Amino acid sequence: MQLSPSHEAQVVIDRLNRFMDEFVYPAEPVYQAQLEANGPRSHEVPAIIEELKVEARAQGLWNLFLPALSGLTHLDYAHVAEITGRSPYIAPEALNCSAPSTGNMEILHMFGTPEQQERWLEPLMAGRIRSGFSMTEPDVASSDARNISTSIVRDGDEYVINGRKWWTTGAADPRCEILILMGKTDPEAAAHRQQSMILVPIDTPGVEVVRSLPIFGYHDQQGHAEIVFTDVRVSAGNMLSGEGEGFAIAQARLGPGRIHHAMRCIGMAERGLEMMAKRVMQREVFGGPLSDQGIIQTWIAESRLEIEQARLLVLKAAWMIDEVGAKGAAIEIAAVKIIGPRTARSVLNRAIQAFGGMGVTDDTPIARMWASARILGIADGPDEVHLRSVARQELRKYR
């Protein structure tokens, strides 16, 4: 099992590290200032983001997440994603590699018709528009896809959509033009054939963005929208792949995407450990630096151990996707969905404690990164669902 990046990927990694040092890290205070200038709940895009996108594209750091275009393997991209995770609110979008549009572009690339790809995939790949993914519903336990209740009913040459979604990340962004919605086309079909995915332009009559939901009080720029769909009519040509294919599409979308999230979490953890180490060497207590305290050294050591273990597991999962596909790597994907965010939360929690009062403020990115890592224990399926999957596979060995 070879977990190192390819030669081609190493060239990209070296270029990306320079880009982070020269452009991304210096842009972080600018980004924060522009967010604040726009207002606490504004979803306007800070101007610095578009400037970074121009520079990233000029350097060939663009759409790296899609192997068919970038030439990188999933393993290669896992190394890239870790680096972008060190600045999770800027770097992924600067490279046009941020969720949920990455997953939506993967769907359109794999399942879209030529017409759908021309209309939506091309502008998404160019970074001209953004998108949202509408699956989760407030009225049912959406971790079980069979519970999805939004209806998609055929009416002649159109489908009529009715339902209520929330946590549609990206839908509050003024650049968002298209939603991929999961709903039921046939409630009487077999459990895994009831759901379908369909393209819904966000400006379609009957689509109402009700509000954007905060995460522990943080309002992300792209928003996490609650949306009501009332008698929304779209062309039958907007159906993705065909009726009943929603569950299969979801599995194809979520596999690689979970690797992306997990590796970005390793990057967040590394950034947290770096900031913690520098902080404890600068602060003095009881006659010496904090770094001399045994408990602090334990925090540093435990953080390094957790990061190294998590990184190896995520790289193994990415390698397996390349070797046997997402289906063959299902257990590893489920495992890293849990381990990546868990590691980030653990390390960032120690960093918060090491920073003391500053650790819970916006004076550093640590608190916000912790909040992001915490929601990932719920997003894309809660940890408990993935633990269940791993346990079932493990028990099957002994039956």
Side-chain angles (χ1 to χ4, degrees), residues 85-111:
R86 293 176 59 87
S87 186
Y89 310 108
I90 297 178
E93 183 169 0
L95 276 59
N96 209 39
C97 291
S98 59
S101 286
T102 46
N104 291 343
M105 286 186 272
E106 286 174 329
I107 285 177
L108 286 163
H109 177 74
M110 290 187 289
F111 302 103

Side-chain angles (χ1 to χ4, degrees), residues 83-381:
I83 297 169
T84 65
R86 293 176 59 87
S87 186
Y89 310 108
I90 297 178
E93 183 169 0
L95 276 59
N96 209 39
C97 291
S98 59
S101 286
T102 46
N104 291 343
M105 286 186 272
E106 286 174 329
I107 285 177
L108 286 163
H109 177 74
M110 290 187 289
F111 302 103
T113 65
E115 293 77 14
Q116 292 168 349
Q117 291 174 345
E118 180 180 5
R119 177 65 185 89
W120 302 113
L121 180 57
E122 290 182 12
L124 282 168
M125 297 292 289
R128 295 195 301 271
I129 67 172
R130 296 285 292 164
S131 62
F133 184 68
S134 289
M135 178 174 175
T136 304
E137 298 180 4
D139 299 324
V140 299
S142 304
S143 56
D144 182 350
R146 294 172 300 181
N147 290 338
I148 296 296
S149 62
T150 295
S151 65
I152 306 174
V153 179
R154 184 72 181 253
D155 183 20
D157 293 333
E158 295 180 320
Y159 283 100
V160 182
I161 302 165
N162 282 281
R164 184 167 166 244
K165 300 285 188 179
W166 68 349
W167 295 107
T168 299
T169 299
D173 192 308
R175 300 166 298 175
C176 181
E177 293 190 14
I178 187 67
L179 305 173
I180 295 181
L181 176 140
M182 185 163 177
K184 281 191 176 179
T185 43
D186 186 358
E188 304 304 318
H192 66 286
R193 296 289 302 171
Q194 297 178 5
Q195 306 84 11
S196 301
M197 287 195 189
I198 194 164
L199 294 160
V200 182
I202 200 168
D203 60 357
T204 306
V207 177
E208 179 190 2
V209 178
V210 178
R211 58 172 175 157
S212 179
L213 299 152
I215 298 176
F216 290 103
Y218 291 107
H219 286 269
D220 288 340
Q221 179 273 317
Q222 76 273 29
H224 308 282
E226 178 180 354
I227 307 177
V228 174
F229 299 84
T230 305
D231 295 330
V232 175
R233 288 182 171 270
V234 298
S235 167
N238 285 26
M239 181 63 65
L240 281 162
S241 190
E243 291 189 17
E245 296 294 326
F247 188 80
I249 296 173
Q251 293 307 303
R253 177 188 192 273
L254 293 174
R258 286 175 180 142
I259 295 291
H260 303 173
H261 279 312
M263 284 312 293
R264 283 193 290 264
C265 282
I266 305 303
M268 287 193 282
E270 281 284 9
R271 183 85 182 274
L273 175 55
E274 176 186 308
M275 295 182 70
M276 172 167 51
K278 291 178 178 178
R279 172 76 171 185
V280 298
M281 289 190 289
Q282 294 168 351
R283 309 289 281 189
E284 290 196 4
V285 294
F286 307 119
L290 265 173
S291 57
D292 285 352
Q293 299 295 317
I295 185 63
I296 300 296
Q297 293 180 2
T298 298
W299 290 355
I300 299 291
E302 292 285 1
S303 296
R304 173 51 61 204
L305 297 179
E306 291 170 6
I307 289 171
E308 295 302 324
Q309 293 174 88
R311 178 185 288 116
L312 286 172
L313 182 56
V314 176
L315 290 175
K316 178 192 176 186
W319 177 84
M320 287 192 67
I321 292 176
D322 289 328
E323 294 294 314
V324 297
K327 187 174 183 180
I331 294 307
E332 286 73 16
I333 291 170
V336 301
K337 163 62 175 69
I338 300 164
I339 292 299
R342 180 186 288 177
T343 299
R345 292 195 297 269
S346 178
V347 175
L348 292 166
N349 191 58
R350 296 187 189 108
I352 289 170
Q353 195 71 11
F355 270 79
M358 182 184 286
V360 298
T361 71
D362 289 339
D363 289 359
T364 78
I366 298 172
R368 188 165 198 154
M369 287 196 296
W370 181 90
S372 296
R374 181 63 188 85
I375 192 64
L376 287 176
I378 299 171
D380 290 346

